Amino acid sequence: MKKGAKNIASAVSELLLGTVNELGYELWDVEYVKEGSEYYLRITIDSEDGITIDDCEKVHRAIDPILDEADPIEDSYHLEVSSPGIERELKYDWHFDVFVGSEVEAKLYAPINGTKSVRGELVSKTEEGVCIKTHDGEIILPDDKVAKVQTVFDFDND
């Protein structure tokens, strides 16, 4: 990741939040990443009704001139607008609040109790970490041990 990418993502998020909300969408995430030799600004939007390709195009058209005018990124980049998907990564405290009671999987940097992955029902996200209820009981995973938490969708039961 380019140095300052989190600051760029944060600045872009602040810049676009009002516009995205006015269009009737929720700004789920903003990422600024380098893949190979290319930079990508990824804007992820959501709504209670889900997101279609038309929604993504609508937001893209609305935010493109705002980004051009504000010019918050020095390098050339590709702008992408997308849905967070069914199985979505939970990054911010409010993401966790939305999905309390849902099935999640936490990937860990190093094994805890012999495993690098914990799957179960999301109980809470606190200063102590992520609390997940598994078949063995509740476990609190400290934030500095968690690489990624995402929702799990059971395709067999839909």
Side-chain angles (χ1 to χ4, degrees):
M1 184 184 299
K2 182 179 178 191
K3 185 179 180 191
K6 287 189 182 212
N7 289 339
I8 289 171
S10 179
V12 169
S13 181
E14 287 180 31
L15 183 66
L16 301 180
L17 182 62
T19 300
V20 172
N21 289 344
E22 285 171 18
L23 291 170
Y25 305 103
E26 182 174 31
L27 186 59
W28 183 261
D29 195 18
V30 174
E31 287 184 307
Y32 182 63
V33 296
K34 183 176 183 183
E35 294 179 359
S37 62
E38 304 288 326
Y39 290 98
Y40 293 85
L41 178 61
R42 294 198 172 109
I43 310 298
T44 309
I45 59 171
D46 200 11
S47 81
E48 289 182 11
D49 299 327
I51 297 297
T52 67
I53 189 73
D54 291 336
D55 296 321
C56 294
E57 288 175 8
K58 179 179 175 183
V59 170
H60 192 291
R61 283 191 305 273
I63 67 174
D64 199 26
I66 295 169
L67 291 168
D68 285 347
E69 184 178 323
D71 198 21
I73 302 171
E74 292 178 17
D75 301 303
S76 63
Y77 61 91
H78 301 280
L79 175 61
E80 297 178 349
V81 178
S82 66
S83 158
I86 293 173
E87 294 190 333
R88 58 187 66 191
E89 185 173 358
L90 307 180
K91 293 183 176 181
Y92 309 106
D93 288 347
W94 69 271
H95 286 174
F96 289 89
D97 292 344
V98 169
F99 284 95
V100 165
S102 298
E103 188 170 357
V104 297
E105 182 172 24
K107 302 281 187 181
L108 308 172
Y109 290 114
I112 294 178
N113 299 333
T115 185
K116 285 185 71 175
S117 176
V118 176
R119 187 169 171 168
E121 180 184 325
L122 177 62
V123 175
S124 65
K125 169 74 172 71
T126 65
E127 290 179 12
E128 294 178 41
V130 180
C131 181
I132 298 175
K133 181 179 172 183
T134 70
H135 61 279
D136 294 327
E138 289 185 5
I139 182 170
I140 296 177
L141 306 169
D143 288 335
D144 63 347
K145 306 291 185 204
V146 177
K148 178 178 180 179
V149 177
Q150 74 178 45
T151 60
V152 176
F153 183 78
D154 186 352
F155 291 93
D156 295 330
N157 288 332
D158 189 43

